Amino acid sequence: MRKIKIFLSYCHVDSAHKNKILNFLIPNSGEQIEIWHDRELLAGDDFSDEIKSKLEQSDIFIFLVSQDFLNSKYCLNVELDIALKKKAEEDEMRIIPVILDYCTFKKSKMSPYNALPSDARPISTYENLNQAYLEIANEISEVVSYMTQSRLVERRDISTLSSDATKEKLKLDFEKNLNDLGFTVQHSRKDTLYLHDLFIYPDLKRMKYDFDDYDVFVGAKETLEPEKIFNKNTLIIGEEQSGKSTLCKVIFQDCFAAGLMPILVKGDQFKKTSEIEQVVLSHHKEQYQGSLVSKSKIIIIIDDITESPINEKFKRTLLQNLKSLYKSLIIIADSKIKFSEQLLKDFDSFNRYEITNFGHIQRSQIVEKWNNIGTDESINLEDQQSSNDNLKRNIDSILMKNIVPSKPIFILMILQILESKSQNNFALTSYGHCYHSLIVQAINKANVKMDELNDYFNYLCELSYYIFNKGNSRITLQDLEDFKKQYSSNYYIVSHDEVLKKLIKSNILNIFN
């Protein structure tokens, strides 16, 4: 097993502390760890690239915190930011602040993390500094030992999953659907946005935990790794518009890349408890080019089981049948399942999680992804960071007003609105205003004149109501012809085809096969 990699970040005026800590730490854990700090740079190395590379590879980040460190832009804006982003994606990774002297640590981004020495007592307050260095080295050694043992016990080698990976290929239409965002967002520097352009893993809240557990909140990326969900059953609950369907697509992509055979099924497709295998086989046929040969690598991903039309009694039977047929289940459910106590109790044997709203780290990540789309490689990094910070402040300001929740779809809405630099962008007061602004921008992109906006809004309102009465999110071409007749009998319209053409161009409407 590879050594635990440690990145040690410090301000050069604190080099003496760094050397002392290394003197105590290396004899304690030398065989288990690989420590890197900027003194390890070789002649001719690119300073910034080498540091960033080591940051990306590290398992533990140790920050020697002093006021000089907290005043260092590079330490905070590069090294610490990379560590925080990695922590958001890999919950197993550790951030350990070490307090060298009295400073404004409690106002820093590191304040949520347990600092060393104990109770964040500054090293400078110890009568014998070696006592502090020894305590720090012992604590770090314990973390290293814990991580090493965790890997030995829990980590499965992903190569065992992919060694006889399926040779099947995905059908092109389904692969295109996997890469689709699932909703319309427009960006000035890219005509079509895909899932990988903007997806950020959310945090998950464990629904079963002990009172003294520190890791109630875990990162979805690390928790849902293929080797951790294979041959296990997992339930993920999420509120409306929390990104449940998008997460299903990403889990599918990760499992497929690992050599598994994920099959994605919409919950509303389970209409009879006796037809589970038929439903799974039909979805395999829709998603894969080859036929289903072996069930050994199958992992069933159900996108919102609460949408199944069968009643709660038969949902419980459905769940029991699924568990008896398949060894690996990822079941996504709407948060309303929490009100079905008996059904929820049947998930007791599952690993259960709940999708949380985006926090500061995820919001920073999605802003950075948005701002990086279509940028030139010669862009000034300071200008880019300034733009990121400005967008993040504006988003935080809007979210603080409780206009919309901190969910990815709404954050992307706000980003699109802010990008337009309209005078009314900051006058958002409701969900309705958010959607109204997005629709206006989309219609404008289709070259609709301002004096025609009311006509297009009226057409959309009537069409939306027609689709709503049909009880679905889409209608057939025959239904559309029926709508045209109804609309023409109540309103004057020059050309249905022209209006529909521009609504499709704006991506407000879509045509499906």
Side-chain angles (χ1 to χ4, degrees), residues 79-88 95 109 113 361:
E79 295 179 352
L80 179 58
D81 275 1
I82 290 176
L84 291 172
K85 286 175 185 177
K86 189 172 181 186
K87 175 65 176 172
I95 291 177
K109 297 177 186 177
Y113 298 95
I361 292 174

Side-chain angles (χ1 to χ4, degrees), residues 87 91 203-220 223 352-356:
K87 175 65 176 172
D91 189 64
D203 280 340
L204 303 175
K205 180 181 179 181
R206 295 196 298 135
M207 297 179 67
K208 293 191 296 183
Y209 57 89
D210 297 325
F211 179 76
D212 58 350
D213 278 351
Y214 289 101
D215 57 344
V216 174
F217 294 93
V218 294
T223 302
R352 298 188 297 174
Y353 303 94
E354 191 167 4
I355 299 172
T356 65

Side-chain angles (χ1 to χ4, degrees), residues 4 22 24 77 143 152 169 177-178 183 201 221 245 250-251 348 353 411 435 439 441:
I4 302 294
L22 290 177
F24 281 85
N77 297 338
V143 173
L152 287 170
K169 294 182 179 180
N177 175 263
L178 277 179
F183 55 92
Y201 285 93
K221 182 176 182 179
S245 295
V250 173
I251 294 171
D348 277 351
Y353 303 94
I411 294 171
Y435 284 113
I439 292 170
Q441 288 180 44

Side-chain angles (χ1 to χ4, degrees), residues 233 270 272-274 276-277 302 305 310-327 329 331 341-350:
N233 295 328
F270 291 107
K272 291 184 179 180
T273 58
S274 59
I276 293 174
E277 289 186 285
I302 301 175
I305 198 170
I310 60 180
N311 63 39
E312 183 174 331
K313 175 184 175 182
F314 285 100
K315 275 195 177 84
R316 297 181 67 189
T317 304
L318 172 68
L319 180 60
Q320 295 304 317
N321 292 348
L322 282 165
K323 288 194 289 184
S324 65
L325 287 168
Y326 303 101
K327 294 181 179 179
L329 296 172
I331 297 181
E341 291 185 12
Q342 288 302 315
L343 179 58
L344 192 59
K345 187 173 177 59
D346 289 344
F347 284 98
D348 277 351
S349 62
F350 282 57

Side-chain angles (χ1 to χ4, degrees), residues 468-486:
F468 174 78
N469 284 334
K470 287 286 182 180
N472 206 336
S473 61
R474 62 183 70 185
I475 55 173
T476 65
L477 291 176
Q478 185 177 343
D479 290 331
L480 184 60
E481 292 302 318
D482 178 54
F483 166 75
K484 289 179 183 179
K485 290 177 184 177
Q486 289 187 28

Side-chain angles (χ1 to χ4, degrees), residues 290-485:
S291 57
L292 181 57
V293 178
S294 170
K295 292 173 62 175
S296 63
K297 298 293 184 182
I298 284 181
I299 181 163
I300 305 296
I301 304 169
I302 301 175
D303 184 4
D304 205 345
I305 198 170
T306 46
E307 290 298 309
S308 171
I310 60 180
N311 63 39
E312 183 174 331
K313 175 184 175 182
F314 285 100
K315 275 195 177 84
R316 297 181 67 189
T317 304
L318 172 68
L319 180 60
Q320 295 304 317
N321 292 348
L322 282 165
K323 288 194 289 184
S324 65
L325 287 168
Y326 303 101
K327 294 181 179 179
S328 304
L329 296 172
I330 298 287
I331 297 181
I332 310 294
D334 188 86
S335 56
K336 61 189 176 186
I337 197 174
K338 291 191 285 187
F339 298 104
S340 304
E341 291 185 12
Q342 288 302 315
L343 179 58
L344 192 59
K345 187 173 177 59
D346 289 344
F347 284 98
D348 277 351
S349 62
F350 282 57
N351 293 321
R352 298 188 297 174
Y353 303 94
E354 191 167 4
I355 299 172
T356 65
N357 286 351
F358 271 16
H360 288 286
I361 292 174
Q362 284 97 351
R363 294 203 292 269
S364 295
Q365 290 173 331
I366 202 168
V367 165
E368 186 173 336
K369 274 203 165 188
W370 176 274
N371 233 9
N372 284 340
I373 291 172
T375 55
D376 191 277
E377 292 182 1
S378 63
I379 190 170
N380 184 286
L381 292 179
E382 288 188 5
D383 292 343
Q384 182 83 339
Q385 186 60 51
S386 176
S387 176
N388 290 347
D389 293 343
N390 187 48
L391 279 174
K392 175 68 165 43
R393 281 194 298 271
N394 289 331
I395 288 171
D396 288 345
S397 175
I398 292 169
L399 292 175
M400 284 174 64
K401 297 175 184 176
N402 293 320
I403 297 167
V404 290
S406 185
K407 296 176 180 176
I409 185 171
F410 293 112
I411 294 171
L412 289 171
M413 281 183 179
I414 295 169
L415 281 168
Q416 183 176 323
I417 293 168
L418 293 176
E419 191 185 50
S420 72
K421 298 182 173 65
S422 166
Q423 290 294 320
N424 296 321
N425 282 344
F426 299 96
L428 300 172
T429 56
S430 68
Y431 280 23
H433 283 184
C434 271
Y435 284 113
H436 180 274
S437 297
L438 291 172
I439 292 170
V440 169
Q441 288 180 44
I443 293 176
N444 285 340
K445 197 167 184 178
N447 299 318
V448 174
K449 297 177 182 177
M450 290 300 292
D451 59 359
E452 296 177 342
L453 279 178
N454 286 338
D455 295 333
Y456 277 81
F457 267 98
N458 188 63
Y459 197 89
L460 281 171
C461 288
E462 294 295 326
L463 179 58
S464 299
Y465 188 64
Y466 180 87
I467 295 173
F468 174 78
N469 284 334
K470 287 286 182 180
N472 206 336
S473 61
R474 62 183 70 185
I475 55 173
T476 65
L477 291 176
Q478 185 177 343
D479 290 331
L480 184 60
E481 292 302 318
D482 178 54
F483 166 75
K484 289 179 183 179
K485 290 177 184 177

